[in-house]
Amino acid sequence: LEDGAHPTSFIGVKGWMLSKFSKNPEWASDFAAFLTNEENALEYFKKTGEVPPVKTVLNNPVLTGDPLVSGFSSQIQYGQPFPTVPELDHVWDPMANALKFITDGKDTQTSLDDAVKLINDKMKMAGVK
């Protein structure tokens, strides 16, 4: 920012979960470790473009050499975990639609205003105060 401060953004990660009902918990644990090790986390990034939640991979030249990805990776240190509140369920679709409308050439302010109205309407119908 102009004053030298960094903006705070929400950060989140995708994760793998193991069922406590697994018939082979040690195999499931080994598989999770395999999926999340540095080598496979990097391979997952190469295949999907998703920044992996493995700190050592964030410093890998494959990620640091990509200007778009390196921006996301460096911002992580200024972020805070994304809140897990049910009200956000009412936000995702209207905002995704607004962004789609904007990229299709619709008026930005109108698209965002419509999304806000829809979000507020959905929250009211759900009883959110």
Side-chain angles (χ1 to χ4, degrees), residues 34-110:
F34 171 80
L35 289 174
T36 57
N37 70 31
E38 187 172 346
E39 177 184 354
N40 291 321
L42 183 59
E43 186 64 24
Y44 184 79
F45 166 76
K46 290 176 183 177
K47 300 278 188 207
T48 66
E50 292 182 17
V51 177
V54 179
K55 288 182 181 182
T56 54
V57 177
L58 294 177
N59 297 319
N60 187 292
V62 173
L63 276 78
T64 59
D66 182 317
L68 179 62
V69 174
S70 66
F72 281 100
S73 297
S74 63
Q75 178 60 25
I76 289 171
Q77 64 186 311
Y78 305 108
Q80 64 181 11
F82 207 90
T84 54
V85 294
E87 291 83 2
L88 285 174
D89 290 344
H90 306 296
V91 174
W92 301 125
D93 287 339
M95 283 307 299
N97 289 336
L99 294 173
K100 173 80 171 102
F101 297 151
I102 292 165
T103 58
D104 286 346
K106 305 274 191 221
D107 180 68
T108 301
Q109 191 61 57
T110 302

